[in-house]
Structure formats: C-alpha cells, structure tokens
Amino acid sequence: MVIGGSGVDTVVRVDSLPVPLADSVGVGPIREWPGHTGGNVALGCRQLGLNVKFLDYIGDDWTGGQVRERLAKGGGDFEALISPAGTRRAVNLVEKTGRRMSFYDARDPDDLRMPRDFYLPHLKRARHVHLSITNFARFLFDDIQALGVPVSTDLHDWDGLDDHHKDFAFRSDLVFLSAAGASERIASVMREILREGRAEAVVATAGAGGSYLMIREGSRTPRPIRATVPPAPVVDSNGAGDAYVCGFLYGRLAGRDLEECARLGAVAGAYACTGEGGAALIDEDGLLAAKA
C-alpha cells in the first residue's frame, strides 16, 4: 500500500547545471510526466507483480487528470480524495548526463488530513505500507503501528536537520534517503535514524556511486552496495530513487536478506535511468535476471 506523493513533473532539458543566468535560455521540448514519488512507487511495484493500493489527494484539475490517466494505464489501483489546493507540481531541470534539479510545489494546506474511515479499511488489509513525506501522511503512523503493519518511507534529500522529516525518519521500519542531502554527514544521519527511531534498516542512495546500507543489528559503518551499470544509455535520473525503493521492497516482501534487497534496488534504479520521466519500469523477470 502506498499513501501520498502523487503529482506532475514538468521536465526541462538543459545543457548543464546550474543553468546560466540569462533572461532566456533555449531548451528542447518541455515534457509533462505524471507520477511523483508516490505514483512512481505504486506503478513500479505493480510492474514487479505486487498488488498495490495507492491512496492520495489530488486536485480536480487537468494535472490531476494526468495522474489518474497514467496510473490507470499502468494498472494502478488508485483511490483519490480531492484537495482544494490542486495537484502537486514540480519543475525538473535535467542535464545531458541525467542529473537533475527539482523545484517542488507541495501546495497541500497544513491542516489537510486524510479521513480515518477512508484509509483504515485498506490499511487493515495491507502487508506493508510505504508513506510519502506529505504532511498529512504523518498522522497515519499511530494506526499503522497499532495494526503492526511494517512501514517504509523515503526522506529524499533530507539533511538530517529539517523537522518536517523527523516523524517519518524515526517512526518507520525501513528508511530510504539520498546521500546528497547530508553529503559528508550521511553516515552520522543514518546512525541517528537507527539510534533515535525504530528502523530495522536505513538505505542511502548515491546515484552512480551506488548505495549504502546500515542495519540495526550490525556495524555502525555504512555497508557499500555497488551500483548497477544501466542496460542502455542514461536518459534521465528522475524516478531512479523511487525505482530503487520498488526493487528493494520487492525483495523484502519476498523474504530476501537486506543486502540482496539493496542489490535488487540498484538494478531497478539503474533501469529507470534509461527512460524519460521515470517511465522505464523494470518487470519481475528483468529484475531477477539482471546482474548487479
């Protein structure tokens, strides 16, 4: 089950990052890609053969229509509530190597809450819940933990300091984040998550540099996981972190050990880089056949 995090990306391809300071910069075709982290995880897990229920708020607007359309085409089981603020948006600048810079418009009002009678029946049937770090999702932790359902989250580029992320970091059983946010402090941030929270494991992704795994019952030195070479030229890194989560969760739900889960995550993340806008979703056969 995936909760929160849908939206639409506007992808702008640029020669390099940062872009030059100018009144106008010529770019290639600007594309719209529905998904965002929640939609990408829901569709990526569905492509891997998992049964996925996706709950979220979207707007009664054309961007919300794009989200619904993409999820329907991908076989996603999506139930949405209407947000008065509209559908979340992001503008992503993507350079030739696939590296990106994202401008994220969360837009949800601070007092937005998902009704308990909407999500609780689905939660009671879930084997695992993946929470996006949308604000309303933090208020589901009490019910999730009362039911004993394992929960994961992706903190993205958390620096270890921003208070918004702390509920998610310290109340999740499995925590993903990008190593870019905390940079040279990433090991200490991973240790803090294990020390202060309930996580069984913390995974920090580092793009072409691979990823790092730290577990509660192990060394407090991050264990490096080698990156997988993409099977085709890199086009776009949008959605690669979400794909990593999908590969990892597939392994975890299949009962594989954490290091093998991280290897599967690396395979799925590398594959995602070969298509635009997170649209390259590896299937189960491809995931299991690939070599890290």
Side-chain angles (χ1 to χ4, degrees), residues 2 39-40 61 73 118 131 139 146 172 174 184 199 209 239 248 252 255:
V2 178
N40 290 339
D61 46 29
K73 285 181 177 178
F118 175 72
L131 285 185
F139 299 99
S172 297
L174 178 59
E184 70 279 357
F248 195 107
R252 198 63 183 144

Side-chain angles (χ1 to χ4, degrees), residues 194 200 214-220 223:
L194 291 174
E200 172 192 13
M214 191 180 293
I215 62 177
R216 178 169 295 279
E217 303 302 330
S219 169
R220 287 301 184 261
R223 185 184 313 172

Side-chain angles (χ1 to χ4, degrees), residues 1-4 37-56 71-72 74-79 122-123 125-132 152 242 245-247 249-250 253 281:
M1 183 173 175
V2 178
I3 300 177
T37 184
N40 290 339
V41 171
L43 287 176
C45 286
R46 185 72 193 95
Q47 182 74 2
L48 289 170
L50 300 174
N51 292 322
V52 183
K53 186 74 176 184
F54 182 27
L55 306 179
D56 198 12
L71 287 163
D77 184 359
F78 180 45
E79 286 192 40
H122 303 295
L123 192 57
R125 295 192 294 270
R127 289 179 60 201
H128 183 96
V129 176
H130 183 76
L131 285 185
S132 301
S152 58
D242 300 326
V245 170
C246 295
L249 292 181
Y250 171 90
L253 290 169
L281 302 175

Side-chain angles (χ1 to χ4, degrees), residues 142-211:
D142 287 346
D143 281 324
I144 293 170
Q145 290 169 356
L147 291 168
V149 182
V151 57
S152 58
T153 195
D154 188 345
L155 307 177
H156 302 286
D157 59 347
W158 187 43
D159 60 3
L161 303 173
D162 190 330
D163 286 340
H164 173 88
H165 300 68
K166 289 184 177 179
D167 281 339
F168 299 95
F170 301 146
R171 300 193 69 182
S172 297
D173 301 289
L174 178 59
V175 176
F176 300 89
L177 74 165
S178 166
S183 190
E184 70 279 357
R185 295 186 298 104
I186 189 61
S188 64
V189 170
M190 295 171 77
R191 283 191 287 267
E192 181 186 8
I193 291 170
L194 291 174
R195 184 179 66 250
E196 301 296 332
R198 56 178 286 147
E200 172 192 13
V202 182
V203 180
T205 56
S211 58

Side-chain angles (χ1 to χ4, degrees), residues 13 34 36 40 68 109 140 169 172 185 195 199 231 235 264 273:
R13 298 196 168 275
H36 277 203
N40 290 339
R68 290 183 187 275
L140 278 65
S172 297
R185 295 186 298 104
R195 184 179 66 250
V235 174
L264 293 173
C273 293

